[in-house]
Amino acid sequence: MSERVIPLFDQRLAAFKAELPAHKISASGLLGDALGRPLRDLRISVTDRCNFRCAYCMPKEVFDKDYAYLPQNALLSFEEIARTARLFVAHGVRKLRLTGGEPLLRKNIEVLINMLAAIETPDGEPLDITLTTNGSLLRKKAQLLKDAGLKRLTVSLDGLDDATFRKMNDVDYPVADVLDGIEAARAVGFQSIKVNMVVQRGTNDAQILPMARHFKGTGVTLRFIEYMDVGATNGWRMDQVLPSREVMQRIHSELPLVQLEPSAPGETAERWGYSDTDGKYDKAQGEIGLISSVTQAFCGDCNRARLSTDGKLYLCLFATQGHDLRSLIRSGASDEDIISAIGHIWQKRDDRYSQLRSEMPFDTSTGARKVEMSYIGG
Ligand code: SAM
Ligand code: SF4
Ligand code: SF4
């Protein structure tokens, strides 16, 4: 049994003040961080609550009935989220991902999607808006999400074996209901659906091939994520990580694969397509994605920022502290001032946790201070 790390203090209380720089920074769309990385992708956590208790994310022992979730007035309102998103878009953001916690638990989430879908790039183009969900409320919400303007969806599913899945979500939730949610999303017309599977050696790695067989040729792209040392509570151990290379080899031995070009700069997933008998990519059979956050750091072109449920800007998934935009917003700051503050924060960004992790031994002291993924969003 692994020992669980229970944090002794609440990392959410710590934050940097979002300072206004002495010289105003305007939105040129060309903002670069200290390592020259642009700002393109904003992940917005709309709730820190979830109806699942996946042990790798919100272990029951910590997220129990006594856990202090954020109070309602701490959450950014839809208006505050949409305004902040618009200012990030002015700085170059082109992709928004709604996440959490479980984003479909946020009341009237479709209203927020509708507001975000109305934001255009400076060239008048629509944004790429997507949402990551555990799928439990998808049957109920699919039509509303589609009508609100959501184009893409990612559904998390860690296996097809019911007993394994029920154990992993730790609330006894059945596989069939998630598959039903995916079907509902397809039925209302979602054409781009991805399924995320977090692979834990010894827990669900026997599900890799059944999942690949199930989704091959369905138009749904299955992505395998290496189990990461996010947060401070999941008791992560390196021996529970199954490297993506091994995932690829296991699938390739039965269902031959060919490597595909990345779809966009800063893309987190390595793409592999199912091949035909001539060894060429067979588009009708589709592709898989490998997200090797642990064994192959992709910090070099990381263009992602995260906005926590209570309006803090995090520069890295593994950050220990965020920048408090909510106080600035609620102080009555102008759009120009908020744009300037965001620019100032991003320009100083030099985070590259995964890269450093692969270069030096795992630092348990930092580990205990990292914020939880359910709070800043995956
Ligand atoms: N509740 C939603 C869901 O599960 O899809 C959205 C939030 S969840 C934090 C976003 C993604 O992070 C999910 O695909 C989840 O599997 C992944 N995730 C959570 N903890 C992880 C960990 N320790 N390692 C790798 N992926 C993780
Ligand atoms: Fe909830 Fe998603 Fe975390 Fe699982 S991974 S506990 S579904 S937020
Ligand atoms: Fe980006 Fe941080 Fe992940 Fe590196 S570790 S890819 S900087 S979020």
Side-chain angles (χ1 to χ4, degrees):
M1 274 293 283
S2 64
E3 277 185 26
R4 295 209 182 278
V5 184
I6 313 285
L8 295 175
F9 53 92
D10 191 340
Q11 206 56 43
R12 297 171 301 176
L13 300 176
F16 299 111
K17 188 167 179 250
E19 306 274 2
L20 293 180
H23 299 287
K24 261 204 166 147
I25 299 171
S26 55
S28 61
L30 300 170
L31 190 64
D33 73 3
L35 303 175
R37 298 169 296 187
L39 173 54
R40 294 282 177 266
D41 182 331
L42 180 65
R43 303 186 171 199
I44 305 170
S45 174
V46 292
T47 177
D48 59 345
R49 291 164 194 262
C50 188
N51 52 347
F52 283 15
R53 286 292 176 275
C54 310
Y56 55 67
C57 178
M58 294 180 76
K60 245 181 191 164
E61 295 80 347
V62 178
F63 295 88
D64 58 13
K65 61 173 181 20
D66 297 325
Y67 183 81
Y69 292 97
L70 293 168
Q72 189 63 29
N73 64 359
L75 272 54
L76 287 191
S77 67
F78 288 171
E79 287 71 22
E80 288 170 332
I81 294 175
R83 178 183 183 207
T84 312
R86 183 167 52 76
L87 304 180
F88 272 92
V89 170
H91 266 311
V93 162
R94 295 292 173 265
K95 182 170 166 186
L96 301 177
R97 179 179 294 278
L98 297 179
T99 173
E102 174 45 45
L104 300 187
L105 287 180
R106 178 85 186 244
K107 211 170 155 203
N108 302 328
I109 183 79
E110 60 281 4
V111 174
L112 174 64
I113 292 170
N114 199 255
M115 291 162 82
L116 297 175
I119 302 174
E120 290 183 340
T121 71
D123 304 329
E125 298 292 326
L127 298 174
D128 177 6
I129 307 175
T130 181
L131 177 143
T132 307
T133 173
N134 63 25
S136 58
L137 295 168
L138 203 47
R139 166 148 295 279
K140 204 167 126 197
K141 288 263 182 181
Q143 187 71 58
L144 287 171
L145 299 175
K146 185 83 177 68
D147 294 347
L150 191 68
K151 298 269 179 324
R152 307 202 291 122
L153 262 179
T154 300
V155 183
S156 302
L157 178 62
D158 293 332
L160 287 177
D161 175 67
D162 204 43
T164 306
F165 182 64
R166 284 179 190 256
K167 206 163 155 210
M168 285 185 83
N169 62 54
D170 217 4
V171 293
D172 212 26
Y173 197 83
V175 171
D177 288 13
V178 180
L179 293 176
D180 187 44
I182 296 173
E183 263 327 294
R186 288 160 68 104
V188 302
F190 278 101
Q191 298 196 336
S192 177
I193 302 179
K194 291 185 177 128
V195 166
N196 275 357
M197 170 176 174
V198 176
V199 181
Q200 274 185 303
R201 193 196 287 277
T203 302
N204 66 337
D205 57 319
Q207 291 299 301
I208 294 170
L209 266 165
M211 287 281 280
R213 289 184 203 117
H214 181 85
F215 288 108
K216 179 173 177 265
T218 61
V220 170
T221 299
L222 177 59
R223 306 195 310 171
F224 298 91
I225 308 179
E226 286 176 350
Y227 171 41
M228 291 186 284
D229 49 327
V230 285
T233 56
N234 62 14
W236 181 90
R237 290 198 329 259
M238 187 65 201
D239 61 6
Q240 296 168 317
V241 179
L242 187 86
S244 291
R245 182 92 346 220
E246 215 178 307
V247 172
M248 192 278 286
Q249 282 158 354
R250 286 196 199 181
I251 299 174
H252 184 65
S253 64
E254 181 184 312
L255 309 166
L257 295 164
V258 282
Q259 190 159 7
L260 306 175
E261 291 291 318
S263 54
E267 177 55 63
T268 49
E270 194 178 284
R271 300 170 59 213
W272 291 79
Y274 292 108
S275 63
D276 59 18
T277 43
D278 298 330
K280 292 209 185 68
Y281 173 43
D282 179 356
K283 231 176 159 185
Q285 297 306 313
E287 59 182 88
I288 60 158
L290 299 174
I291 304 182
S292 318
S293 344
V294 177
T295 61
Q296 263 184 296
F298 38 72
C299 303
D301 50 10
C302 177
N303 53 22
R304 293 177 290 283
R306 292 178 160 82
L307 189 63
S308 70
T309 316
D310 58 351
K312 293 191 196 113
L313 170 59
Y314 283 84
L315 302 177
C316 176
L317 182 53
F318 299 92
T320 52
Q321 214 159 303
H323 300 257
D324 182 11
L325 289 184
R326 189 190 65 194
S327 296
L328 187 64
I329 295 166
R330 294 191 180 168
S331 72
S334 65
D335 284 359
E336 287 68 31
D337 280 348
I338 301 170
I339 282 178
S340 201
I342 295 170
H344 187 53
I345 296 165
W346 189 261
Q347 280 180 348
K348 287 197 287 187
R349 173 186 189 244
D350 62 359
D351 301 63
R352 48 190 183 105
Y353 177 90
S354 291
Q355 200 176 326
L356 296 176
R357 180 215 303 100
S358 58
E359 288 166 12
M360 60 181 78
F362 183 58
D363 175 0
T364 46
S365 66
T366 312
R369 285 185 280 119
K370 286 180 308 212
V371 290
E372 297 303 319
M373 197 169 184
S374 48
Y375 164 66
I376 59 168

